[in-house]
Structure formats: C-alpha cells, structure tokens
Amino acid sequence: AGTGISVTNGSGAITIASTGGGGFTNMTVFTSPGTFTTPASTTKIKVTLVGAGGSGGCAGNPGPTDTSAGGAGGGYAQGIYPVAASSPFAVTVGSGGSPVVSIAGPGQGTAGNAGGTTSFAALISATGGGGGSVTNNAPTNGANGGAGSSGNINIPGQPSFRNGGAGNSILGFATGQTGEGGSGVGYGSGGNSISANQSTPTGAGAGGVVIVEF
C-alpha cells in the first residue's frame, strides 16, 4: 500500500492506477559461457536459449553412391522462473559442430560433428543438432534436431534432410546450396554438406545462445 500506486480524485470517480513498469525491462545475451548474477531487486527472470547446430557431412569420392547430409538445428527452450536476488547462475553456450573433410576414395566419407548443449544452470537447457551423416552405397538419412527441455516452451531443432540440406533452428538458418557447404548463420542452425570432395570443408554449425530478461 502506498507504493507504486497513484490515486486521482476526479469528478464523480476516483482512479486508482499502477505507476510501476510492467514486464521485463533489461536483457543480457550470452554467446559464450559465463555467469549471470541476478540484480539485487530481481525476483523473476525469463530465459531463452538455443543449442548449437551440427556441421555437414562430406561424401567420399567419386560418388553418386556415396551421399551425405547437412547438420541439424539445435533445440529451443524458453521459460520464466522465480529467483532470489543477487544469485549467480552458470551459463553454458554450446559450440557449433566443426567442419570436416572426406578421405580420398570411394566409401570414405566423413560424418559431421554434433552441436553442443546450451544450458542455464539446472533450470533449462537445449541440446545441439546432430552432425550430418554419411552413407556409402545407400541413401543418407538426415541428422536429428536438438531438443529443448524444462522450459515453458520447448521446440525441437529442424532435422537435416535425407540426401540434402541442413536444418534450421528457431533463431538461425542454413545457408548455401545442398552439397556445396555453407555454414549456419544466426544461432543454432546446421551447416551444409559437401558432395564427394576431399579439399573443401563442410559447413560449420552455428553456436548457441542464452538470452536472459529481467
């Protein structure tokens, strides 16, 4: 009572209104690991995060029968949590899957690397997308997208496509032509594959992100 409220005595009516701001008014963005410490007056936070994307696979050479897929997108999660003031929270940001090259010769393809998991202490997390798979003498299945967990909203990353391109995330998208590389952009998107090439690296997955509003 008496705090954050205005009372206006008008003609035939009294107006009572809140004078305090609503919602979250500040934001901190992490693109690498760190620690978030809640300000002294903070009692609630909103956390949005994305796992990292996987890198594309690289088919062997030569190759109409050796195929590769792009990397998959990282998972997404968002939640609102009560917190104690002046409390530290460990922030982990997943690294994007690193590019690969194939070994010379038929049937010597190299699978892509998975993206890393992103988390905010033990409150909320999202796994990274899988690395692009390689299949010799058979069609290639796409990699699985990452998964968000413990959020009020949890959305999986997009899988990569069978014999095709990379998967997107909620906050990032794949670039380049299928089979010609191209790294993910934004946050959590997968890198594209390379078809039958030993010297050109595949597309890298985009790293994850943690966004804290308070």
Side-chain angles (χ1 to χ4, degrees), residues 55-59 67-71 110-112 130-135 139-143 160-161 193:
S55 64
C58 189
T67 57
S68 58
T110 304
S133 57
V134 173
T135 303
T140 301
N141 291 321
S160 57
F161 298 93
S193 61

Side-chain angles (χ1 to χ4, degrees), residues 32-117:
S32 59
T35 300
F36 177 81
T37 301
T38 55
S41 59
T42 299
T43 59
K44 183 168 57 177
I45 58 174
K46 177 181 177 182
V47 182
T48 302
L49 50 76
V50 174
S55 64
C58 189
N61 182 56
T65 58
D66 295 347
T67 57
S68 58
Y76 169 96
Q78 182 184 89
I80 296 176
Y81 307 93
V83 294
S86 304
S87 298
F89 292 88
V91 175
T92 301
V93 179
S95 297
S98 57
V100 298
V101 294
S102 68
I103 302 171
Q108 298 294 320
T110 304
N113 295 302
T117 295

Side-chain angles (χ1 to χ4, degrees), residues 181-199:
S183 297
V185 298
Y187 303 109
S189 50
N192 258 309
S193 61
I194 289 289
S195 299
N197 189 306
Q198 296 79 50
S199 59

